[in-house]
Each structure stands twice: as structure tokens, then as C-alpha cells.
Amino acid sequence: MSEKSPERSTSSTSATTSAQGAASPSALVTSQGRTSIADGVVAKIAGLAAKEVTGVHALGGGAARAIGSIRERIPGGRTNHSQGVAVEVGEREAAVDIDLIAEYGVAIADLAAGVRRNVIGSVERMTGLKVTEVNIDVNDVHLPQEDDADDDAEPAPSRVQ
């Protein structure tokens, strides 16, 4: 019986905290109006912030990077800065999921901490949203010799003269 009492007080405390959080003013929700920020905006900010961290080779998994590479080669195509980034945005908070490729030799725990710190700082500063979590999935490790193999490949012959 004594075990249930603390749970009840914790639940009521959580409910009270949630109610207070909902009533507290935000930079995006004021008495003068409400500002909403699209998921794509937050994803682009998070993607650019993650790429700034030394040790991040690329964002996204293999298929996403292949499609992004093709898109960039098309005339007029643009780089997708939110590739490998998924976000969930509310009125006051945002959660971010990032898939990345790490450079070989970088301590992954330190890399994740640096990415997390940079993403949270950038998103909170630029949007006014509170970032509740940044989940990072390291999908691969980029080896330096992978770049050398690409350089040694014979260039494709020109189709026009």
C-alpha cells in the first residue's frame, strides 16, 4: 500500500507540472499571437548544425545519400540539408532524430555529445523551441581509403566532343 502512495503523488506532481508548463508563456506563444515553425525548418537547422561538427562525414543512410547525390547532379538541383534528419515539432518543444556516418578514428560517444550540443544550441537559439531530445544513430564509419578508391577510378569517357 505504501508503494502506491508515492506513485500517486508522482502522477499528480507530473500532472501539475504539465499544467503549469502548458500555461507558461513562450517566445512562440504570446498574448499577441502565435508563431508556428514547420518541421522542415527545424530539420534543416538541425542538419546544418550536425554537419558543422568535426567527425561527421555525412548524414543519412546509404539509400538517402545515394538519392541525394543524384539530386545534386541534376541541373538546378539543390542539396537537401535535412537529409538523415527527422523531427517532431510542437508549439513549444521539438525532438530530433539524426542518422549519420562518422569518420574513422573519432570517438563516437564524444561525436554524439558534440552533435547533440550543437543541434540543441542551434535549434533553440534560432527557433525559440525547447529541444527535448536528440537521438543519434551512427549507421557507418567512413574509412579514408574509401575516398582513395574513388580517386583511382578511371573517369567516365565524355559522351560529347
Side-chain angles (χ1 to χ4, degrees):
M1 179 109 179
S2 63
E3 290 180 17
K4 291 184 179 180
S5 297
E7 288 178 14
R8 287 182 186 158
S9 65
T10 304
S11 332
S12 63
T13 304
S14 298
T16 305
T17 305
S18 298
Q20 289 172 348
S24 66
S26 164
L28 299 173
V29 180
T30 67
S31 61
Q32 298 171 328
R34 188 179 73 146
T35 302
S36 62
I37 300 173
D39 292 4
V41 172
V42 176
K44 188 178 279 190
I45 293 168
L48 289 168
K51 289 177 189 175
E52 290 175 351
V53 177
T54 302
V56 174
H57 176 70
L59 297 182
R65 288 194 337 255
I67 292 170
S69 176
I70 292 168
R71 180 184 306 133
E72 290 173 6
R73 292 181 183 167
I74 297 171
R78 294 184 293 170
T79 302
N80 181 5
H81 295 291
S82 60
Q83 173 180 302
V85 180
V87 299
E88 192 174 330
V89 180
E91 285 186 354
R92 293 180 176 86
E93 298 177 334
V96 181
D97 298 324
I98 299 174
D99 294 335
L100 62 82
I101 308 300
E103 291 286 349
Y104 176 76
V106 174
I108 292 176
D110 294 342
L111 176 65
V115 168
R116 198 170 277 117
R117 184 175 40 253
N118 206 38
V119 167
I120 290 170
S122 294
V123 170
E124 288 185 350
R125 180 177 42 81
M126 293 181 70
T127 66
L129 294 167
K130 179 179 180 348
V131 178
T132 58
E133 62 184 28
V134 176
N135 300 310
I136 299 170
D137 290 329
V138 180
N139 294 325
D140 199 0
V141 175
H142 177 260
L143 303 173
Q145 57 265 35
E146 290 175 354
D147 286 338
D148 294 341
D150 292 342
D151 294 342
D152 293 341
E154 188 175 308
S158 175
R159 299 182 345 176
V160 294
Q161 291 188 11

